[in-house]
Amino acid sequence: MIKGRIYKFGANVDTDAIIPARYLNVSEPAELAKHCMEDIDEEFANRIKAGDIIMATSNFGCGSSREHAPLCIKAAGVSCVIAATFARIFFRNSINIGLPLLECPEAVEGSCEGDELRVELETGVIENVSRDKKFQARPYPEFMGNIINSGGLIEYTRKKLVSG
Amino acid sequence: MTLAESILAGHSSREHVSPGEFLNVKVDMVLANDITGPIAIREFNKIGVNRVFDPIKVVMVPDHFTPNKDIASAEQAKTVRDFCRAQGCHYFEVGKVGIEHVLLHEEGLVLPGDVIIGADSHTCTYGALGAFATGMGSTDIASAMATGEIWMKVPHTIRFNYTGKPDQWVTGKDYILYAIGDIGVDGALYSAMEFGGEAVDSLTLEGRFTMANMAIEAGAKAGLFYCDEKTTKYVESRARKEYKIHKPDQNAKYARIIDYNVSQLEPQVAYPHLPSNTRPVSGASGVKIDQSVIGSCTNGRIEDLRLAARVLEGKKVKDDVRCIILPGSQAVYLDAIEEGLIEIFIRSGCAVSTPTCGPCLGGHMGILAAGEKAIATTNRNFVGRMGSPRSEVYLSNPAVAAASAVAGCIVSPDSL
Ligand code: SF4
């Protein structure tokens, strides 16, 4: 069970906004996390508390394929990202590295910055405690569920190779 | 089946595939660069295999922060170089390297009908050859380096037909910017874009690379063209292996069909901070600029430099403007020297750089200060993309970028 406060963003938050390319001369998640969201919210990395949740409208994570984007969000302490829609590569990357994502336009519509959420990843149930409302996120396709349950793509690949 | 479906079926031993299906797809080339390579290598090492599945199908291109701009980026390039040496994968050293998406097709490493995955979102560029090429993250690349396969969801396809005859300053860049302006930055989310029609048929391969390159800017998984005579001629002397030509079926099912007539189209300019904020150049006129950047994997090929030189010949870059030209590869650079283009650039007051991504992603070689504006032939104008989060980037074709460097503000080449 995840519990945290919402940081809300708009549409088309791109990977340059999540982690500007000028910091990509390193790849250590903790180093990257210091600059998470810097160009659209300078204070984000300082304000965020472990467990907090990023919420955004459509096409979150568009742009570059840089895995540094979900890595730095995760390392900043964000517990999950809830959006109306995600950009394709960002979605894959997050699943692969184990940053939980939930697609739920209704929850985005019905929640505001600072609201407190309770999220059950297994069922996709999102509860807005501040507003006493419940939402149901779209389920993952079974194929992706297998990757998530294996603990990410690397573990999944390892198991597959071992089992031949 | 559409072109995308046909290629994916062929790579997953299937007669037929439909949109939405999950497949394990065999890959013909796996790519990473100096930013995404180090993470891919780190993850690869966790899998527990010693060797990549096939070293001649793995390529790493140090193009983003090279020639190394600082110690940290030198360490990243070294990680990638050491790995490629140990594994025997393709690696292009500074002096031979170009921007990955200008280099790989030049080198014949990517071919029609191939499935190519790269830890770089503009991997979609190779769709111009009639290949299925798509960007992914480093972890996907690590897994594919170990197994030679990757999971994919078959995308549905949106078909774009371009008809009509364009004006002399209208290029493939304008076709694709117009489409992105029309459908939006998520207009093709999770889809393949298939391009056709007489206006696209008459484009050179260079024009098609430019268009396929920006498919990701509409959220697409891939952007594909047919392999025609121009394509086979292009790959003929370069191909390092056999290839197979795929064609869409007559009765292929498209999620949407969109028609554009380019006869009345003006060169397009995308305003900050999204590639979809497009306007015709006549509506953008007068925006004062501090810098013009001509290059990148979108427009760093020889045809692009020829177009810029045609505009710049005998003219001077405005005194308070910096015009930076970045040939996309050493071969492009050499052609530009032999054709006299570099002399034209230098005489008109441009700086010419060795091939690198450089300012395209705010790396080096032309970073913007707060409050500055640049016109660029690159593909993204997000906040902070070329430097300060308070700078601005406008996207255009090379002719408009060159003309604007001379005028000091955004103009059409016609108005010089
Ligand atoms: S030129 Fe720009 S868009 Fe192309 S690969 Fe380099 S950084 Fe990416």
Side-chain angles (χ1 to χ4, degrees), chain A residues 21 64 66, chain B residues 33 35 63-64 99-102 120-123 125 213 216-217 295-299 356-363 378-380 385:
Chain A
S64 159
R66 62 187 71 151
Chain B
N33 59 45
I35 290 182
D63 55 355
H64 280 63
I99 300 171
E100 48 196 328
H101 313 308
V102 178
D120 191 281
S121 60
H122 293 104
T123 301
T125 309
N213 175 270
I216 179 70
E217 261 53 73
S296 85
C297 60
T298 319
N299 283 121
T356 179
C357 294
C360 173
L361 81 162
T378 55
N379 45 41
R380 288 191 178 136
R385 177 74 182 178

Side-chain angles (χ1 to χ4, degrees), chain B residues 229-245:
Chain B
E229 270 171 35
K230 285 184 194 169
T231 325
T232 47
K233 189 148 180 281
Y234 181 89
V235 296
E236 204 171 61
S237 56
R238 299 180 158 89
R240 300 190 186 194
K241 61 174 179 68
E242 300 278 299
Y243 61 91
K244 181 165 184 267
I245 296 174

